[in-house]
Amino acid sequence: MEQTNPTPKWKAELLDWLKSFVLIGGLTAFIYVFVMAPYVVQGRSMESTLHDRERVIVNKAIYYLKEPQPGDIVIVHPDATGDNWIKRVVAVAGDTVEAKNDQVYVNGQPLSEEYLVENKLKTSTAGVTLTEDFDPVKIPEGSVFVMGDNRNNSMDSRVIGPVQLDHVVGRAEVVYWPLSQVRLPR
């Protein structure tokens, strides 16, 4: 009877390491694609809530379970350019949104926007309005209306229209960089 040579110890160990790296890589890719990912804020459209070059963790899994809600800060992929934007959900499907006299209205009711206090103070001091008037927009099914908190420096649904839900990447959960500014964005 012929005897087989056992695999040398170093080959077995190498194979174990390779399996571990493949498993870790696959798990990391799964988490990045479906669960959470880092995002770098680009631009000033969300000031004073979020600042240029801050880094946030985006929860991608949340919207598999429920739809975005007004007030959520979301990453949207609005068009074929490949760009991602970070904005705040102002209205959801079925709502009608409009702005008059520096006030946003959803379904005829003034929207309470505590997160805009600092920006409204700055613009009123400068003698300008934060939110330009726009006509009523009815949000269709499967869409959300998003706006930046720094309304005078934001490309958002006022220009591109409502964003389809399948273009919403996820919700910003935590600012993690710079370390001195770690916080929950609200």
Side-chain angles (χ1 to χ4, degrees):
M1 186 178 248
E2 193 174 310
Q3 230 178 357
T4 59
N5 289 338
T7 306
K9 186 176 180 177
W10 70 269
K11 284 186 180 179
E13 212 170 295
L14 179 62
L15 187 58
D16 283 345
W17 276 101
L18 287 174
K19 287 179 191 175
S20 295
F21 282 127
V22 169
L23 180 65
I24 290 168
L27 187 58
T28 301
F30 176 81
I31 290 170
Y32 186 82
V33 171
F34 296 107
V35 180
M36 63 179 50
Y39 175 80
V40 178
V41 176
Q42 297 174 1
R44 299 177 42 217
S45 74
M46 283 300 292
E47 287 182 353
S48 62
T49 305
L50 297 169
H51 302 280
D52 189 32
R53 293 190 256 189
E54 284 186 324
R55 286 161 174 73
V56 298
I57 295 292
V58 177
N59 180 343
K60 293 180 167 188
I62 189 76
Y63 297 134
Y64 292 119
L65 306 172
K66 66 178 196 165
E67 293 188 354
Q69 300 298 307
D72 286 358
I73 298 174
V74 297
I75 308 301
V76 296
H77 189 76
D79 55 30
T81 64
D83 293 336
N84 284 327
W85 298 351
I86 189 163
K87 305 293 177 192
R88 188 180 299 273
V89 176
V90 174
V92 296
D95 289 340
T96 300
V97 62
E98 66 182 309
K100 295 184 283 191
N101 302 320
D102 205 18
Q103 175 65 56
V104 174
Y105 294 86
V106 176
N107 300 324
Q109 299 299 313
L111 185 62
S112 175
E113 298 182 288
E114 303 83 31
Y115 45 85
L116 293 183
V117 170
E118 185 177 329
N119 290 350
K120 283 198 175 214
L121 181 61
K122 286 179 188 176
T123 56
S124 68
T125 301
V128 296
T129 59
L130 179 62
T131 308
E132 295 283 324
D133 290 359
F134 61 90
D135 292 332
V137 176
K138 175 87 170 171
I139 313 307
E141 285 302 314
S143 299
V144 292
F145 194 92
V146 297
M147 296 173 73
D149 289 356
N150 187 5
R151 306 266 165 86
N152 291 330
N153 290 299
S154 179
M155 173 76 77
D156 51 39
S157 288
R158 295 172 294 169
V159 177
I160 66 167
V163 175
Q164 295 177 357
L165 290 177
D166 61 352
H167 291 239
V168 178
V169 176
R171 182 174 73 189
E173 296 291 347
V174 64
V175 176
Y176 70 91
W177 192 263
L179 289 176
S180 62
Q181 298 297 315
V182 171
R183 66 190 183 283
L184 300 175
R186 299 290 172 242

